[in-house]
Amino acid sequence: MGSSLHYCSSVLLLICLLQLASCCDYFKGSWVIDTSYPLYDSLSCPFIDKEFSCQKNGRPDSQYLHYRWKPTGCDLPRFDGEDFLRRNRGKRIMFVGDSLSRNQWKSLTCLLHSAVPHANFTIETQEEENLSTFTVPEYEITVMLSRNVYLVDVVKEKIGRVLKLDSIEEGDKAWKGLDALIFNTWHWWNRRGPSQPFDYIEVGNNTYKDMDRLTAFEIALNTWATWVDTNIDPTKTRVFFQGISPSHYNGTGWNEPDVMNCRGQKLPLSGTTYPGGLPVALTVLKKVLSKMSKSVYLLDVTELSLLRKDGHPSIYGFGEMDCSHWCLPGVPDTWNQLLYNALL
């Protein structure tokens, strides 16, 4: 009788552990103070761009540096730079997207530098190809950044610059033969005026002066998804999507309607849910990913980043109000912590 009860208890314990593991969502949780963070010192990382280096640019507060992402029901394993380098020895990893991809790429270079500070590192930029390359020769690892803000092509033609929603020739040349790809796009889709890098939008044989940008975003994502389904061998290449990195330009999103932007924000939001809800672009992204035949891992960073209204450079970047990018050290370090655990 006793051995039978012991067996039943062991089985029940195993079931509980399996259920706990299956229900632990790394992307649902809250931010907690942890004085062992940040994982590196911005003053000792030689790779941080000026626009992300909030401490060097005079940001006076420092509590934003000491937050750790705590998933509900489990702990997110700490980023281990040496382990990352060992496991990815000889591999080629590429971030593809806009300046938010650059934000994450720069974060990863600092995380790896702090883990093995005496290793040899090189960074090279090929401006004509919009490609930056970070290498650690000792580990034969290459981590690249390919700037491609829409993922689909923008082509100069007689009528002007044309955003081709169903063409991906530029990416087709750059994205093949890699061990991991981390994609991102969204922030440029609503640009208008002088900062808009196209004059027309083309779909098939139809050319438009403009169209609904969320619709254009979805068409482009479907073009990208078709490319991945057609060209990627998941046994050789892991594919990730960074998710939608949010901005904090309007305090109504966090129930402070009198707050105009992120300037002066020193604390993250408490709890696990952002009051203003999630952006529609995330719904579109998840819809496209759900229809794909190849596996793409969504680094669903949107809500955890929405909770960090304190994490932006504000005036401590280029001097202009920046509530889109993130200070380093900061939130992108957690994105890379999530990427590290996904790669495991």
Side-chain angles (χ1 to χ4, degrees):
M1 182 71 173
S3 61
S4 177
L5 285 173
H6 178 73
Y7 173 77
C8 290
S9 298
S10 299
V11 171
L12 286 171
L13 177 60
L14 179 60
I15 291 172
C16 288
L17 289 171
L18 289 172
Q19 287 177 337
L20 179 62
S22 66
C23 72
C24 186
D25 183 350
Y26 277 165
F27 304 106
K28 195 69 176 178
S30 59
W31 293 94
V32 297
I33 284 286
D34 186 333
T35 55
S36 70
Y37 281 69
L39 297 175
Y40 58 89
D41 179 1
S42 68
L43 302 180
S44 64
C45 178
F47 310 121
I48 300 179
D49 291 333
K50 176 178 172 57
E51 62 262 41
F52 308 143
S53 187
C54 302
Q55 287 178 294
K56 285 184 180 179
N57 294 333
R59 180 166 176 170
D61 60 305
S62 61
Q63 186 166 315
Y64 73 96
L65 295 168
H66 304 297
Y67 284 98
R68 170 173 58 85
W69 177 246
K70 173 67 173 69
T72 303
C74 66
D75 283 312
L76 180 63
R78 193 180 182 93
F79 185 93
D80 184 331
E82 287 190 78
D83 183 61
F84 183 99
L85 289 166
R86 284 194 300 269
R87 289 177 181 270
N88 293 287
R89 180 183 292 274
K91 292 186 176 180
R92 301 170 72 229
I93 299 168
M94 179 181 281
F95 291 89
V96 183
D98 54 27
S99 53
L100 275 306
S101 290
R102 186 175 189 85
N103 220 168
Q104 186 174 2
W105 178 67
K106 285 291 186 176
S107 160
L108 184 55
T109 65
C110 289
L111 287 165
L112 296 178
H113 175 268
S114 68
V116 285
H118 301 298
N120 291 319
F121 300 89
T122 63
I123 282 192
E124 297 178 356
T125 299
Q126 297 169 276
E127 293 185 5
E128 290 184 3
E129 298 182 17
N130 291 316
L131 181 68
S132 299
T133 304
F134 172 82
T135 59
V136 190
E138 181 181 341
Y139 292 89
E140 300 174 342
I141 185 173
T142 303
V143 184
M144 292 167 280
L145 172 71
S146 176
R147 187 178 183 276
N148 189 321
V149 300
Y150 296 113
L151 301 184
V152 292
D153 296 328
V154 178
V155 179
K156 289 183 179 179
E157 297 186 348
K158 289 183 178 180
I159 59 171
R161 300 163 299 173
V162 182
L163 175 61
K164 295 176 175 283
L165 299 183
D166 52 5
S167 174
I168 209 158
E169 291 182 10
E170 183 179 338
D172 188 60
K173 299 173 185 175
W175 304 341
K176 291 180 178 178
L178 300 167
D179 297 287
L181 288 160
I182 305 99
F183 291 96
N184 154 62
T185 183
W186 171 241
H187 275 245
W188 281 69
W189 286 94
N190 285 312
R191 290 208 176 194
R192 288 174 168 80
S195 66
Q196 176 183 299
F198 62 86
D199 304 302
Y200 296 92
I201 299 174
E202 182 181 283
V203 186
N205 295 321
N206 298 314
T207 302
Y208 307 91
K209 184 61 180 174
D210 205 350
M211 65 188 298
D212 179 81
R213 297 302 177 84
L214 198 62
T215 300
F217 173 66
E218 184 171 358
I219 295 170
L221 279 182
N222 278 308
T223 299
W224 165 83
T226 300
W227 184 91
V228 171
D229 283 342
T230 304
N231 293 280
I232 292 296
D233 180 351
T235 65
K236 297 179 180 179
T237 304
R238 299 282 302 277
V239 181
F240 300 85
F241 206 100
Q242 186 195 55
I244 304 297
S245 177
S247 301
H248 290 93
Y249 285 104
N250 191 335
T252 57
W254 61 90
N255 291 334
E256 291 189 62
D258 295 331
V259 176
M260 297 298 294
N261 51 50
C262 65
R263 183 175 183 177
Q265 296 298 316
K266 298 179 180 180
L267 299 172
L269 291 166
S270 60
T272 62
T273 304
Y274 187 68
L278 303 177
V280 179
L282 181 62
T283 303
V284 172
L285 172 60
K286 288 183 176 181
K287 174 185 172 183
V288 171
L289 294 180
S290 69
K291 296 178 180 179
M292 295 180 66
S293 61
K294 300 289 175 66
S295 175
V296 175
Y297 188 102
L298 175 61
L299 290 168
D300 197 357
V301 302
T302 304
E303 188 151 44
L304 67 88
S305 303
L306 277 167
L307 297 174
R308 289 303 304 273
K309 58 185 174 63
D310 62 315
H312 299 286
S314 67
I315 60 170
Y316 301 106
F318 272 139
E320 300 174 355
M321 185 55 59
D322 184 355
C323 298
S324 294
H325 299 99
W326 304 92
C327 296
L328 293 179
V331 173
D333 302 329
T334 296
W335 300 351
N336 282 315
Q337 191 177 359
L338 291 161
L339 174 64
Y340 164 69
N341 281 280
L343 284 168
L344 294 180

